[in-house]
Amino acid sequence: MDERDAISRRQVHDALTQRCFTRDWSVERVVYLGTLDPTALAVPVRIDVTDLDFVSAPPIYLGEEYRVTGRRLPHLLGETRSLCYYAKGSVILDRYDPSGTVLQCLEQADIVIRKAVRGSSDIDFANEFQAYWSSSFLLVDLPANFAGRIKARFLNLRAGLEPTGVICAGESWLIEAHLANRASLPPGEDCVVISTDAALSVNPNADWPPENLRDLNAWLGWIDPGLVGILEKSFATGEHPTRWIAIRAANGTFILSATLPPMLRTDEFQKSRRTKLPSIIARMPEKIPIQPTLGLPADVDYIFSRNMGNMANLNGKRILLIGAGTIGGFLSHQLAQSGAGAMDGRLTIVDKDELRTANLGRHLLGIPYIHRNKAEGCCEFIKQQLPMLTVDFHSGDALDILDASNLPYDLIIDATGEEAFSLAVNDRSVRHRETWPPVLFGYLVGNGAMAQSLFTGESGRACLKCLKPRLSGPSRFPTMRAGIEVTTAENMECADPRYIPYPVTRSVVAASLICETALAWARGSIGHRFRSHLFDPSQALSVKDGNPAVSRDCPACSPT
Ligand SMILES: [Zn+2]
């Protein structure tokens, strides 16, 4: 053992000994035996301090001999009787103070066990209910207030892999994702969706978990009397011998299923006596075992909102992304992950180039897309990863699409980084300012020394040309240090233009800079329209973010 580990081990040993814990030499791991709340409850426990990294809190297990008479304890998880005293990620334990850390953990465990035994933390059962209910799951995509009958199906969301259990309405993206892999939809099994305002929780004074219909109804009666009998009733109609019940509660969606015993699966019951099934089942509740399952939210709003907190995402926006090269490729994926193409929105990607081996070191796409159009490739990649999005592509010249005074988009993004092309887009944007959506430009300066983005389209604000009114003249916001030349390199493939070398990191940050501005636009507070990120101060100068005004010398804004 490393000397420092030996010292830590010794310190932990001394701390635990001070708390009257003794080493359990009968096991290979470093385990100590002792009691929590020694002066009152004296709960026998084992603490496992094998891991001195303290990445997670040392596991504490309640001794088998300990029984709380008549009631059940929250925070006591599973067969192993491990005590959940610090929620995962709720605290960072100090690995450089091992004795203090172990004592801190025991103190916290004392508090948790005392509250649990007193019953004052029974409410925590509801917060931890997923852990008590099940570890298997079904994906759920239902309209917000849906209640009633629907199908539970096993769908092929991933080609060639095992199917995934799903409860969803007919128009769900999950159905489309399945149909992209399989010709037809499996018929599925009947599922009844029911809502309650109550939070589902463990009844501390009853057996857990409910194993059959009798236990289930006893538990449901304790949660919400309106839920009692739902499983029996669900058998009155429908064909299949299995029924699913999805309870949409205040603390999540919880699902259970039950299958008729063989004696009730006869033709007689299935056809002529089907309506009698609920009352027959109700008379033999302990013969109907139930299976609990978790419902995991998979609706589009949840998927694209959960990482955003209170920030708006790009749901419902129609976005035209021009350029699917090194910046545009990463940007297309970031826009998609921000919700572009979700709900009624659309993401259109435009590029006329093909992916070459020369691109592979700094492009979103790789070998599966080699020699294919970049816009088409990005579109296909995104639809594979996030099949709920509406994404399309155009492999022709972007200027063809832009030759219109009205465009069916809410935002145009030019991530080509080709100055002459961007100035052509900018010129059209200024000319059609009244009818065009805003245009957001993003590019790298010099040899990727700086990333910049400019949001344009509002009157009184700078257009792209306003930043440098004369092609050979000075920039209004100087970026390159004097005497720094941009170096270019020859491509091996002779048909390719010369290219500017810089690493992939620069493209990813440029894409992020553009996506940040797009998100600011979506939430209605654009902030700084002109943003810069300096990578290489030896080549470029730092430029302050801001909102530049129109230049009087700009030939696009004020043609002479
Ligand atoms: Zn201008």
Side-chain angles (χ1 to χ4, degrees):
M1 198 191 307
D2 179 81
E3 195 189 338
R4 289 206 299 181
D5 285 348
I7 293 169
S8 295
R9 187 66 70 217
R10 185 80 227 165
Q11 288 173 342
V12 167
H13 177 83
D14 290 347
L16 284 166
T17 307
Q18 181 199 323
R19 277 276 316 239
C20 301
F21 276 66
T22 53
R23 177 82 190 259
D24 177 2
W25 294 103
S26 70
V27 291
E28 205 172 307
R29 296 183 67 82
V30 187
V31 172
Y32 287 76
L33 302 169
T35 53
L36 289 182
D37 194 24
T39 55
L41 294 170
V43 179
V45 292
R46 287 175 289 134
I47 181 167
D48 184 331
V49 287
T50 311
D51 173 21
L52 291 173
D53 286 320
F54 297 114
V55 173
S56 44
I60 296 178
Y61 306 95
L62 261 62
E64 289 299 328
E65 65 273 33
Y66 185 71
R67 285 277 175 276
V68 189
T69 45
R71 61 188 308 285
R72 201 153 285 286
L73 300 183
H75 302 293
L76 197 56
L77 300 176
E79 301 271 294
T80 61
R81 292 166 66 86
S82 87
L83 182 70
C84 170
Y85 60 98
Y86 274 132
K88 196 171 158 61
S90 66
V91 66
I92 297 168
L93 299 171
D94 186 356
R95 58 170 295 135
Y96 293 107
D97 177 17
S99 57
T101 293
V102 167
L103 292 176
Q104 174 195 342
C105 288
L106 286 175
E107 226 165 87
Q108 173 68 13
D110 278 344
I111 295 170
V112 168
I113 196 78
R114 258 185 248 128
K115 281 188 178 169
V117 170
R118 272 207 308 266
S120 62
S121 60
D122 284 354
I123 182 81
D124 295 350
F125 273 132
N127 297 329
E128 296 175 340
F129 190 64
Q130 288 206 346
Y132 295 103
W133 186 243
S134 179
S135 56
S136 62
F137 64 87
L138 258 61
L139 300 183
V140 178
D141 178 14
L142 294 171
N145 295 312
F146 181 89
R149 273 186 182 253
I150 201 152
K151 294 291 183 187
R153 294 185 174 96
F154 284 82
L155 299 183
N156 292 85
L157 302 181
R158 306 163 299 173
L161 294 172
E162 268 181 37
T164 305
V166 164
I167 295 176
C168 68
E171 61 275 15
S172 170
W173 66 271
L174 291 157
I175 302 266
E176 285 174 40
H178 167 85
L179 291 175
N181 295 319
R182 281 282 192 287
S184 66
L185 207 55
E189 297 165 353
D190 285 323
C191 174
V192 173
V193 180
I194 189 165
S195 292
T196 174
D197 294 333
L200 302 198
S201 190
V202 175
N203 181 350
N205 298 307
D207 281 342
W208 188 262
E211 284 172 355
N212 55 44
L213 180 59
R214 186 198 54 212
D215 301 348
L216 176 71
N217 278 330
W219 173 65
L220 289 174
W222 177 75
I223 294 280
D224 173 355
L227 299 174
V228 176
I230 43 171
L231 181 60
E232 300 92 301
K233 276 181 230 153
S234 73
F235 279 104
T237 54
E239 300 290 320
H240 203 273
T242 297
R243 286 293 173 282
W244 297 79
I245 306 288
I247 305 172
R248 305 181 92 182
N251 55 340
T253 299
F254 299 93
I255 300 165
L256 56 98
S257 63
T259 302
L260 286 177
M263 54 187 282
L264 297 180
R265 285 187 222 164
T266 58
D267 271 3
E268 185 201 353
F269 280 111
Q270 293 299 308
K271 299 205 173 95
S272 47
R273 298 185 64 196
R274 161 73 57 190
T275 53
K276 296 270 192 330
L277 272 176
S279 57
I280 294 168
I281 294 165
R283 285 199 293 272
M284 45 187 287
E286 57 291 315
K287 294 221 166 62
I288 312 290
I290 65 151
Q291 287 293 328
T293 306
L294 293 173
L296 297 188
D299 56 283
V300 170
D301 192 41
Y302 171 81
I303 289 169
F304 294 106
S305 299
R306 86 168 283 278
N307 293 316
M308 303 296 286
N310 293 325
M311 280 167 71
N313 57 24
L314 300 176
N315 280 3
K317 302 284 193 246
R318 300 166 304 165
I319 296 178
L320 177 67
L321 170 62
I322 306 169
T326 175
I327 299 175
F330 293 116
L331 178 58
S332 69
H333 194 214
Q334 289 185 9
L335 293 169
Q337 289 176 310
S338 307
M343 307 298 194
D344 296 324
R346 183 155 49 98
L347 174 62
T348 302
I349 307 169
V350 188
D351 202 305
K352 56 181 194 299
D353 290 341
E354 287 181 356
L355 190 75
R356 301 285 171 88
T357 51
N359 302 128
L360 296 183
R362 59 181 197 197
H363 201 278
L364 171 74
L365 304 176
I367 286 297
Y369 299 90
I370 199 77
H371 297 309
R372 290 185 55 194
N373 176 268
K374 289 175 182 172
E376 182 184 9
C378 287
C379 176
E380 189 179 297
F381 175 80
I382 290 168
K383 286 210 274 200
Q384 236 165 39
Q385 307 299 316
L386 299 165
M388 66 290 289
L389 299 180
T390 304
V391 188
D392 54 14
F393 70 95
H394 177 71
S395 57
D397 192 334
L399 291 180
D400 294 345
I401 297 182
L402 297 177
D403 260 335
S405 56
N406 269 296
L407 293 170
Y409 295 98
D410 303 311
L411 177 68
I412 298 171
I413 301 176
D414 175 359
T416 59
E418 291 167 27
E419 191 171 348
F421 174 85
S422 295
L423 288 174
V425 173
N426 181 69
D427 194 74
R428 284 163 176 75
S429 158
V430 173
R431 255 187 277 174
H432 299 298
R433 179 158 284 169
E434 299 300 315
T435 52
W436 266 35
V439 181
L440 172 57
F441 296 94
Y443 47 87
L444 286 162
V445 177
N447 279 91
M450 174 183 277
Q452 284 192 319
S453 70
L454 179 71
F455 181 87
T456 69
E458 303 148 292
S459 61
R461 302 288 183 188
C463 77
L464 185 68
K465 187 65 182 161
C466 285
L467 298 184
K468 198 173 124 194
R470 278 191 302 278
L471 192 61
S472 54
S475 174
R476 280 171 70 199
F477 307 92
T479 50
M480 295 306 287
R481 288 190 180 278
I484 297 290
E485 294 288 326
V486 175
T487 57
T488 60
E490 204 81 60
N491 264 322
M492 294 302 286
E493 295 169 85
C494 63
D496 276 8
R498 294 179 72 82
Y499 71 100
I500 302 173
Y502 52 81
V504 59
T505 47
R506 311 284 163 96
S507 319
V508 172
V509 174
S512 304
L513 194 69
I514 302 168
C515 195
E516 277 283 338
T517 306
L519 286 166
W521 159 78
R523 70 171 170 267
S525 59
I526 187 82
H528 290 141
R529 288 158 181 81
F530 184 42
R531 304 182 186 200
S532 302
H533 182 94
L534 177 62
F535 295 105
D536 187 349
S538 72
Q539 291 205 357
L541 301 157
S542 84
V543 177
K544 231 169 121 39
D545 291 354
N547 290 304
V550 172
S551 161
R552 269 179 301 170
D553 301 327
C554 175
C557 289
S558 20
T560 48

